[in-house]
Amino acid sequence: QTEMKAARSIQQSMLPVGLLTGQGFELRASMKAAREVGGDFYDFFLLDEDHLMVTIADVSGKGVPASLFMVRSMMVLRNLVQSFREEPLASIAAKVNDELCRNNDAMMFVTSFMAILELSTGRLSYVNAGHNPSMLYRAGEGKFSPLPVLRNSVLGGVESLNYKGQEVTLGQGDLLFLYTDGVTEAQNERGDFYGETALLDFLNHHQAETASPQDLLAAVSADLSRYAGQAEQSDDITMVALRYTR
């Protein structure tokens, strides 16, 4: 138990502090593991003064094996993004996939949503690698809707794959909500899933226009706790909220 607590502390320390603000954005992230250590992770950092990298990911499996692959995935993705930052994000995703396929005898994989936000223009380049569809709040429309995603394979499953990238332009006040399936697959005492529809309904009934990313994550977390009741948390719950403020 002592070793597991130490492992949890090390894993948590690898994640960036879950709050970041800068010229043109406000970001909040959280991760709540179902066990002492988890397989989810998030990451964000500035590539330069005008580009913000944001990632959320979910490793297959749970417990110690997932946490070890989580560490490897996080480091590979961060290093390759920084090393090949001039290349399209889809090309970088292919490199990450090939690297994670190497010596992967356990046949583990990771789903991921990765994006680069150009702060001066609001242009968001992204790749969805088998991950949940993110939710995008448009300030001009006053509501959330699923962000369109092209089908891509998970990372670490099969090598030598091509990935498809996408782009969308964020306007002032728009908010991007990222999450892992621990949110939509949260279960109540009867074993029913929370679900994507309930998540979207809750987001659209929350005052997203005035709420900070921190308030939004706290509100979703509270609604998940209300839904689960006394049921045990069955999966890691990770969320990221990013608001574009220019």
Side-chain angles (χ1 to χ4, degrees):
Q1 187 66 22
T2 300
E3 290 176 349
M4 290 301 292
K5 287 182 178 179
R8 177 183 177 87
S9 178
I10 292 170
Q11 185 181 44
Q12 291 286 343
S13 69
M14 294 187 66
L15 300 174
V17 176
L19 180 64
L20 181 66
T21 58
Q23 293 294 322
F25 73 93
E26 186 180 359
L27 185 150
R28 178 72 179 183
S30 67
M31 196 275 275
K32 182 181 179 183
R35 302 183 182 179
E36 286 87 351
V37 290
D40 284 6
F41 71 88
Y42 63 81
D43 198 10
F44 51 84
F45 52 91
L46 286 166
L47 289 166
D48 54 43
E49 292 183 353
D50 195 37
H51 294 89
L52 172 69
M53 177 73 193
V54 182
T55 304
I56 192 168
D58 183 0
V59 173
S60 59
K62 295 180 177 64
V64 174
S67 70
L68 292 173
F69 200 74
M70 165 261 173
V71 172
R72 183 184 177 199
S73 301
M74 184 176 178
M75 293 300 99
V76 166
L77 201 154
R78 176 180 274 254
N79 290 338
L80 289 180
V81 167
Q82 292 176 326
S83 298
F84 297 96
R85 53 184 294 180
E86 300 301 325
E87 293 191 16
L89 196 53
S91 174
I92 297 173
K95 289 180 170 62
V96 172
N97 176 63
D98 288 344
E99 184 62 31
L100 292 180
C101 285
R102 292 195 182 101
N103 303 317
N104 186 11
D105 296 337
M107 300 298 291
M108 301 192 75
F109 61 86
V110 57
T111 71
S112 177
F113 177 91
M114 59 190 81
I116 295 177
L117 175 61
E118 189 172 66
L119 300 173
S120 60
T121 65
R123 184 170 64 94
L124 185 80
S125 305
Y126 64 95
V127 173
N128 188 300
H131 199 71
N132 308 77
S134 303
M135 302 295 183
L136 177 60
Y137 174 82
R138 289 292 196 182
E141 301 173 3
K143 67 175 184 178
F144 278 94
S145 58
L147 186 69
V149 291
L150 296 174
R151 179 173 295 182
N152 285 307
S153 177
V154 299
L155 302 172
V158 180
E159 61 184 338
S160 301
L161 296 179
N162 293 320
Y163 285 78
K164 298 180 285 289
Q166 295 171 263
E167 287 188 4
V168 66
T169 300
L170 303 185
Q172 184 177 19
D174 288 356
L175 191 150
L176 186 65
F177 179 77
L178 317 177
Y179 61 97
T180 58
D181 60 10
V183 173
T184 51
E185 294 181 7
Q187 294 176 278
N188 60 17
E189 294 161 356
R190 298 187 302 275
D192 300 324
F193 291 129
Y194 184 72
E196 186 178 310
T197 300
L199 173 62
L200 188 57
D201 287 345
F202 179 80
L203 291 172
N204 278 323
H205 283 88
H206 191 68
Q207 297 298 319
E209 183 174 355
T210 57
S212 68
Q214 183 171 356
D215 291 339
L216 182 63
L217 294 197
V220 174
S221 181
D223 198 55
L224 290 175
S225 296
R226 175 203 59 77
Y227 180 82
Q230 298 301 311
E232 183 179 356
Q233 182 181 336
S234 59
D235 200 359
D236 304 334
I237 295 175
T238 304
M239 299 179 285
V240 177
L242 169 65
R243 185 184 293 281
Y244 184 62
T245 58
R246 285 194 177 178

